[in-house]
Amino acid sequence: MTEIQRQPVSSSDIASIGYDATTETLEIEFKATGVYRYFSVPKNVWEELARTPSPGKLFRQHIKGKYAWEKVGRD
């Protein structure tokens, strides 16, 4: 898979987020545990995550446990 460019976010849990619209892959870098990819994430979920003032809360409510994921590293 190609590299996903991430942008920093203001969050106590999340350092940065990125999205590949072609593959519907969301990438999240967590401050404590590293980088994870979430698969088949609709674009509207990404857009909501990118603009919310509370990315950690949105992640817990709308992403965690709802999409297949893999840990891709600690960078």
Side-chain angles (χ1 to χ4, degrees):
M1 177 174 277
T2 60
E3 182 178 336
I4 297 174
Q5 296 297 315
R6 294 188 310 270
Q7 61 192 42
V9 293
S10 178
S11 171
S12 58
D13 299 326
I14 298 173
S16 63
I17 59 172
Y19 186 72
D20 182 335
T22 305
T23 61
E24 293 190 316
T25 302
L26 172 65
E27 192 169 279
I28 301 178
E29 177 188 7
F30 293 93
K31 293 179 179 178
T33 57
V35 181
Y36 293 78
R37 284 189 176 163
Y38 297 84
F39 303 101
S40 301
V41 178
K43 186 176 181 183
N44 67 307
V45 173
W46 153 249
E47 290 169 343
E48 193 174 347
L49 180 64
R51 70 174 176 255
T52 184
S54 183
K57 182 178 179 182
L58 189 136
F59 169 77
R60 288 187 297 279
Q61 291 179 338
H62 298 289
I63 300 168
K64 185 177 182 181
K66 293 181 172 55
Y67 300 99
W69 58 272
E70 71 176 354
K71 185 170 185 177
V72 295
R74 178 137 188 94
D75 63 16

